[in-house]
Amino acid sequence: MSDVVIGCDFTSSPNRRKPIVLALGCLSSGRVQLSKLERFASLTALGDWLQQPQAWVGAFDLPFGLPRELVEHLGWPTPWRACMQHYASLPRAQIRATFKAFCDARPVGGKFAHRATDAPAGSSPSMKWVNPPVAYMLHAGVPLLLQAGVHLPGLHDGDKQRIALEAYPGLLAREILAKRSYKSDDRAKQTAERLIARKDLITALENGATRLKLRLKLSHAQRDTLVDDASGDSLDAVLCMLQAAWALQQHQSGKPRYGLPDNMDSLEGWIITA
């Protein structure tokens, strides 16, 4: 197995101004060296990259599944691949209308259905279509992974040289920063406080100060790039890369399914390290 790890900060509508960011690195003796950052201004460009014959373990910041409660309520297929194929066939407007109707029929405080992983990860429900639109990220991203033929442990058998796992950078960032914000796409909110938070987060990652016990290795130029990207997209890709490295460590130590829990729901999926 290769020691190459990747982290993907994903967006469902990438463009030149807001591209998908991929962090590539390698794991060695508990250290994760960032090799480079790549940016993709289209879904097609990322899809082409994913299809290349190369070995990696990757962690992707997008949901890999929908809540079982929602799927069963809607009468959609419950095998994961069939569910994803059905979901991918729907236009976004229909997804929004379907999910909105589901939420509107439910009481305040319990509008959304949740996956089992949401509570331990502190993640948004994967059916959410705004702020952030993770439902559309699932709709755009999972078909790319299926088309590329990658292996999704516990969900879908594919090429065992290319391993894709669901990640959530906020899970690792919160461990260091608690509720401090370190990023914003809004220029007016790209404050000195958020800049300091990014520096603090990077320093903690370099020192291995998370429960993952992994030390991030950066060049001075790479560190500056992560600090200077006020959107946080580059740093989020690196956080995902560290989650991928943890998963690779679990695999190397003989744990099945790259550290995913034994009782993971094979329809919903799970956020690695949650």
Side-chain angles (χ1 to χ4, degrees):
M1 180 77 204
S2 164
D3 62 1
V4 173
V5 287
I6 63 172
C8 179
D9 179 68
F10 189 78
T11 173
S12 56
S13 302
N15 53 48
R16 267 206 290 268
R17 194 178 55 77
K18 180 79 173 171
I20 294 165
V21 183
L22 211 62
L24 292 88
C26 58
L27 169 68
S28 177
S29 308
R31 286 148 62 111
V32 187
Q33 173 85 54
L34 177 64
S35 307
K36 60 179 173 177
L37 293 167
E38 292 203 19
R39 299 177 196 278
F40 302 96
S42 70
L43 294 170
T44 303
L46 175 64
D48 290 344
W49 189 94
L50 291 171
Q51 293 191 37
Q52 294 175 43
Q54 53 194 338
W56 45 258
V57 173
F60 295 78
D61 180 18
L62 66 126
F64 281 13
L66 291 165
R68 181 173 288 277
E69 180 188 1
L70 172 72
V71 172
E72 290 180 346
H73 174 84
L74 295 174
W76 289 358
T78 51
W80 181 83
R81 186 184 171 100
C83 182
M84 290 298 99
Q85 286 173 326
H86 172 73
Y87 188 61
S89 75
L90 304 174
R92 284 187 190 178
Q94 186 178 341
I95 289 168
R96 182 186 180 281
T98 301
F99 289 179
K100 186 175 184 301
F102 176 89
C103 292
D104 287 348
R106 286 160 64 97
V108 174
K111 293 289 187 187
F112 291 100
H114 286 268
R115 295 184 295 159
T117 194
D118 287 342
S123 54
S124 295
S126 61
M127 65 174 295
K128 206 171 177 204
W129 62 90
V130 285
N131 298 328
V134 284
Y136 299 154
M137 292 163 71
L138 167 62
H139 186 257
V142 166
L144 288 182
L145 296 171
L146 284 172
Q147 286 159 17
V150 304
H151 182 63
L152 286 75
L155 296 175
H156 173 69
D157 281 341
D159 175 11
K160 301 287 199 301
Q161 293 296 300
R162 293 170 295 143
I163 308 296
L165 299 154
E166 180 182 343
Y168 176 45
L171 177 58
L172 199 50
R174 268 203 306 271
E175 206 179 312
I176 305 298
L177 298 175
K179 292 184 176 174
R180 290 168 64 199
S181 175
Y182 61 96
K183 60 181 181 175
S184 178
D185 284 329
D186 181 348
R187 276 187 184 277
K189 294 179 180 173
Q190 293 175 352
T191 58
E193 287 81 6
R194 287 187 166 97
L195 174 72
I196 292 163
R198 284 195 299 282
K199 288 182 176 178
D200 290 347
L201 178 51
I202 292 163
T203 299
L205 296 174
E206 289 176 321
N207 291 334
T210 72
R211 63 194 166 87
L212 302 189
K213 301 284 189 284
L214 292 164
R215 296 172 80 96
L216 176 64
K217 282 276 292 167
L218 300 169
S219 69
H220 292 302
Q222 287 171 338
R223 198 179 204 280
D224 290 344
T225 297
L226 298 184
V227 169
D228 293 343
D229 181 357
S231 73
D233 295 347
S234 302
L235 187 45
D236 281 348
V238 167
L239 288 164
C240 289
M241 179 184 72
L242 288 168
Q243 290 174 317
W246 179 87
L248 176 55
Q249 267 190 336
Q250 304 310 299
H251 177 73
Q252 289 172 341
S253 66
K255 297 222 174 91
R257 301 204 303 197
Y258 292 82
L260 290 169
D262 295 337
N263 61 348
M264 178 185 96
D265 187 317
S266 61
L267 170 63
E268 292 188 346
W270 192 267
I271 292 167
I272 198 73
T273 78

